[in-house]
Amino acid sequence: MSSHFLRESTEMAGDQLSEVFDLVEIRGLLSGGFAVRGPWVSRGSIGDALKFLAMVSGRARLTADGVDSPIELAAGDVAILNGRSWLELRGGAGDGPPREVVPEENDPATSLVGAGAGAGAGAGAGDVVLGGHVELNAAGRALLSQALPPVGHVRASAAAVTPLRGILDRLFAEVSGRRIGSAFAIRQYGQLLLLEALRAYVEQADLPPGWLRALTDERLRPALTLMHAEPGRPWRLEELARAAAMSRTSFAERFRSVAGVPPLTYLGRWRMLLAQRALRDADVRVGSLAVELGYGSESAFSTAFKREVGESPLRFRHRHRATPA
């Protein structure tokens, strides 16, 4: 009988993006915001690998290291900053020097009170910005840093982002409304905001080769579904190519150009993500885990794990069990 982590993988095989999000423990957390009228500027360093900004109402120009020219953010836009060290936002209109806004000193639960009950109602409040960061484990940081550009810009003007705008409206209403249970609601909407922003970005942008582009490729989906459903099976290239209705050569070339790695390398990395979750969360023995994931011996599995993760399976387990969540 398959272990719990493999059964879970099989059950979610039709939705690989959700499965990956679960494995890398991704969470979008709101950490600040401000509402301001008139000319303003906000500058600061970035201490998180991934940060997001949502323009609830108004307009602003975003500049960051590694970005050639300012990015114009309109109401409803979201920007995801990947591996940046600093940012600057400028907005507002009118005479006089811009007001310096320091989000780190503002609690969004207080600084946005009275700014309006939603993006539509808040438009009269001037420029309203919400900011947050993305928490995820080491494997997730590696995956997303490869899949996203320095700044991913999701434009509200695209028809596909309607759900994103609705979530942004509700998130702002919770932040500014101070209703009972708002802290819980803000956490949930922060999660959904990040998911919808990534969905919208996938639909709007030409993605670089990587796992995110591979998971959205219709021609590769049948083969990816097989690998995700039965990661421990010794898949041959011919079988995967047949599932995708392609020749062996065409499949291998397309997979590499889309995913950035050959099919069996992708499979090996997927197995390692499953292994990391099992070692963190379950009490499965390393030898049993090796068998479930298709390795001929515990030694072969341990060697592959150390090559991919940088430490042995037992050391990985002990370190994560000793670290508070």
Side-chain angles (χ1 to χ4, degrees):
M1 181 180 292
S2 297
S3 63
H4 171 71
F5 77 91
L6 281 184
R7 288 202 306 275
E8 195 172 81
S9 174
T10 302
E11 290 164 1
M12 292 189 293
D15 185 5
Q16 287 90 6
L17 184 59
S18 293
E19 190 176 9
V20 171
F21 273 32
D22 177 62
L23 283 175
V24 303
E25 302 173 317
I26 189 168
R27 295 185 296 275
L29 302 176
L30 187 69
S31 55
F34 58 85
V36 60
R37 292 183 177 89
W40 59 271
V41 61
S42 178
R43 305 181 182 92
S45 60
I46 302 175
D48 302 295
L50 288 167
K51 181 177 179 63
F52 64 88
L53 296 169
M55 200 76 204
V56 181
S57 66
R59 304 183 69 88
R61 294 176 300 282
L62 168 65
T63 307
D65 54 312
V67 178
D68 295 333
S69 58
I71 296 172
E72 298 288 338
L73 299 179
D77 285 9
V78 175
I80 302 174
L81 292 89
N82 174 23
R84 302 303 89 198
S85 62
W86 61 268
L87 67 83
E88 179 184 279
L89 278 174
R90 285 183 176 271
D95 299 327
R99 172 185 173 186
E100 188 86 23
V101 180
V102 184
E104 291 79 7
E105 298 178 358
N106 292 335
D107 177 0
T110 58
S111 63
L112 294 176
V113 170
D127 299 319
V128 180
V129 179
L130 293 178
H133 64 278
V134 182
E135 285 192 354
L136 64 176
N137 59 32
R141 284 193 294 273
L143 284 174
L144 276 182
S145 65
Q146 296 168 2
L148 295 173
V151 178
H153 182 195
V154 181
R155 294 176 173 83
S157 56
V161 302
T162 302
L164 175 62
R165 186 54 188 262
I167 292 168
L168 184 56
D169 286 353
R170 292 190 289 273
L171 174 60
F172 180 73
E174 291 292 343
V175 171
S176 61
R178 284 186 155 191
R179 300 169 59 198
I180 185 171
S182 62
F184 178 80
I186 288 168
R187 288 195 297 271
Q188 306 310 308
Y189 285 132
Q191 291 280 77
L192 291 173
L193 178 69
L194 176 62
L195 173 60
E196 285 296 341
L198 287 172
R199 281 174 169 170
Y201 180 73
V202 166
E203 293 173 355
Q204 291 182 22
D206 292 326
L207 295 172
W211 67 274
L212 193 55
R213 182 175 168 188
L215 294 184
T216 60
D217 189 279
E218 292 293 334
R219 295 197 66 188
L220 296 181
R221 180 170 293 178
L224 286 166
T225 297
L226 291 179
M227 287 190 280
H228 281 241
E230 297 184 74
R233 181 171 168 175
W235 291 106
R236 293 182 298 110
L237 197 58
E238 291 80 3
E239 294 175 287
L240 298 173
R242 192 179 310 120
M246 301 169 69
S247 70
R248 184 179 184 277
T249 301
S250 296
F251 173 74
E253 290 176 351
R254 182 176 182 87
F255 199 103
R256 190 180 189 102
S257 67
V258 170
V261 294
L264 299 185
T265 300
Y266 176 94
L267 176 61
R269 292 180 178 177
W270 179 242
R271 288 171 172 173
M272 291 299 105
L273 282 175
L274 292 172
Q276 289 175 67
R277 179 177 64 180
L279 291 167
R280 284 194 313 266
D281 303 339
D283 293 321
V284 61
R285 293 188 301 109
V286 174
S288 299
L289 185 58
V291 172
E292 293 286 352
L293 289 174
Y295 291 89
S297 67
E298 182 176 333
S299 174
F301 167 72
S302 296
T303 299
F305 188 92
K306 188 171 184 178
R307 182 172 59 246
E308 181 70 21
V309 181
E311 59 187 338
S312 70
L314 287 178
R315 182 173 177 80
F316 178 90
R317 166 175 277 168
H318 291 156
R319 182 168 59 82
H320 281 268
R321 295 290 175 90
T323 303

